[in-house]
Amino acid sequence: MSSLDNNWFTEVFQDQGTAFSLQVRRKLHEEQTEYQKLEVWETETFGNLMVLDGCVMLTSRDNFLYHEMMTHPALFTHRDPKKVVIIGGGDCGTLKEVLKHPGVGEAWQVEIDERVTRVSEKYFPELCESNQDPRANFFFGDGIQWMRDQPPGSVDVIIVDSTDPVGPAEGLFALDFYRDCMIALREGGIVVQQSESPLLHTDSIIRGIHDDMKKAGFDHVQTLPFPQPVYPTGWWSCTMGGKAVHTSYFREEDAADRPFVTRYYNEGVHRGALAMPQFMLETLDDPVRPAEG
């Protein structure tokens, strides 16, 4: 057994008995925002690293895996997305991917902590290069209330690019929030939620998302696993809910002929991500459990 010196940043997952470390050169930024502790580190091999309340959020090297999978499967599942809303996503990487779609006419980033966006503009400028796009709109405040206030049938795709379901993000993993999303979406609309690790959370968080989306009225719910080296287990997922649209089918020809560059996503990756492992199928294909009480 070897131990790490002070030149490493380590996130410990105490309840799982595991940890993840990156060798670092120096701390670039630290502040206590109104909502959380925000740090940026320069690492030896993964570029810059953003940490919120001690939890790894992203690195320069591998964030494209997450941002592309949170975005393109949902947008290519929708028949013709025009208005897209991102709840969270303060680093602007998801917004950048959304705006690669030329058919999108309006995109909103609704982030509770403006400091995440301002710090990202300085230390992750490559993620913020579309912030000046005329289609990009920003609202800094409570995403739950913002969604509740949207006119019925006014949005095509909702991307819930949140942190873990604790603290400010806890209400984004709730039945009432999915009901508000259902009302705000047009017919054929899609909601997609980051849904944690398949290995650690299928029987808890992911199962809960499936149940709540179905109870909220989403006809079809689908989880797509994908790699994410800096998150717990190195394996992550997003979960889509469709409003009168099947989330297991997508515009394959459009995905193959996409007029923009991706580093991970393509039509084959999308198709493969729809094939969930057996242990997930056995957990998630059960009927929706009745509400308690």
Side-chain angles (χ1 to χ4, degrees):
M1 178 181 294
S2 63
S3 60
L4 303 177
D5 59 28
N6 291 333
N7 295 321
W8 293 78
F9 173 87
T10 299
E11 180 183 355
V12 177
F13 317 118
Q14 194 70 51
D15 60 336
Q16 300 295 335
T18 186
F20 175 78
S21 295
L22 283 171
Q23 192 172 15
V24 295
R25 294 175 179 168
R26 60 187 176 126
K27 183 178 284 187
L28 300 174
H29 182 86
E30 179 179 348
E31 68 174 281
Q32 180 66 46
T33 76
E34 183 179 353
Y35 300 98
Q36 54 207 336
K37 183 180 181 181
L38 169 58
E39 299 169 274
V40 179
W41 295 81
E42 180 185 1
T43 75
E44 289 287 350
T45 58
F46 272 68
N48 287 349
L49 160 69
M50 179 184 286
V51 177
L52 293 178
D53 285 339
C55 298
V56 171
M57 291 295 108
L58 73 149
T59 73
S60 303
R61 184 173 184 176
D62 75 338
N63 73 81
F64 68 94
L65 296 163
Y66 175 88
H67 289 133
E68 290 183 12
M69 289 303 289
M70 283 294 295
T71 302
H72 303 308
L75 268 68
F76 280 119
T77 298
H78 194 282
R79 62 180 178 271
D80 187 22
K82 297 297 185 184
K83 182 176 180 179
V84 179
V85 173
I86 303 160
I87 305 296
D91 57 66
C92 304
T94 297
L95 178 66
K96 173 186 173 181
E97 296 301 320
V98 166
L99 292 173
K100 288 181 177 180
H101 291 254
V104 171
E106 180 182 359
W108 282 85
Q109 180 174 292
V110 182
E111 163 65 48
I112 196 169
D113 194 343
E114 183 174 359
R115 290 300 302 155
V116 175
T117 296
R118 301 308 170 210
V119 170
S120 295
E121 289 171 340
K122 181 174 182 179
Y123 295 105
F124 299 88
E126 70 279 9
L127 300 184
C128 301
E129 59 188 28
S130 296
N131 288 13
Q132 303 307 314
D133 189 303
R135 299 171 294 164
N137 302 272
F138 296 86
F139 177 86
F140 296 105
D142 184 356
I144 296 172
Q145 186 62 50
W146 192 91
M147 185 56 62
R148 189 176 297 138
D149 293 338
Q150 295 314 292
S154 62
V155 179
D156 294 311
V157 176
I158 300 168
I159 301 173
V160 189
D161 181 0
S162 69
T163 54
D164 295 340
V166 294
E170 186 174 6
L172 300 174
F173 292 75
L175 176 58
D176 287 346
F177 176 72
Y178 296 134
R179 283 173 173 157
D180 291 335
C181 290
M182 169 63 74
I183 293 170
L185 286 168
R186 299 184 179 107
E187 201 80 358
I190 300 287
V191 62
V192 58
Q193 163 80 271
Q194 81 83 6
S195 48
E196 306 284 309
S197 167
L199 193 60
L200 301 181
H201 303 120
T202 292
D203 198 35
S204 53
I205 294 170
I206 298 175
R207 175 64 183 263
I209 291 171
H210 276 245
D211 285 1
D212 285 343
M213 283 188 177
K214 290 174 183 176
K215 290 173 186 175
F218 288 96
D219 304 276
H220 299 281
V221 182
Q222 176 78 38
T223 294
L224 290 77
F226 56 89
Q228 191 60 56
V230 301
Y231 288 173
T233 72
W235 197 25
W236 217 240
S237 69
C238 62
T239 297
M240 291 193 294
K243 182 176 181 178
V245 62
H246 206 300
T247 51
S248 293
Y249 302 97
F250 65 104
R251 295 182 283 114
E252 294 194 40
E253 290 187 7
D254 290 343
D257 296 333
R258 61 197 180 283
F260 52 82
V261 174
T262 57
R263 296 181 62 195
Y264 182 73
Y265 176 86
N266 58 38
E267 70 282 5
V269 163
H270 189 152
R271 198 159 45 241
L274 293 171
M276 287 190 297
Q278 188 63 29
F279 76 89
M280 295 186 74
L281 289 174
E282 291 173 358
T283 300
L284 301 175
D285 279 357
D286 292 341
V288 177
R289 291 171 292 185
E292 296 181 359

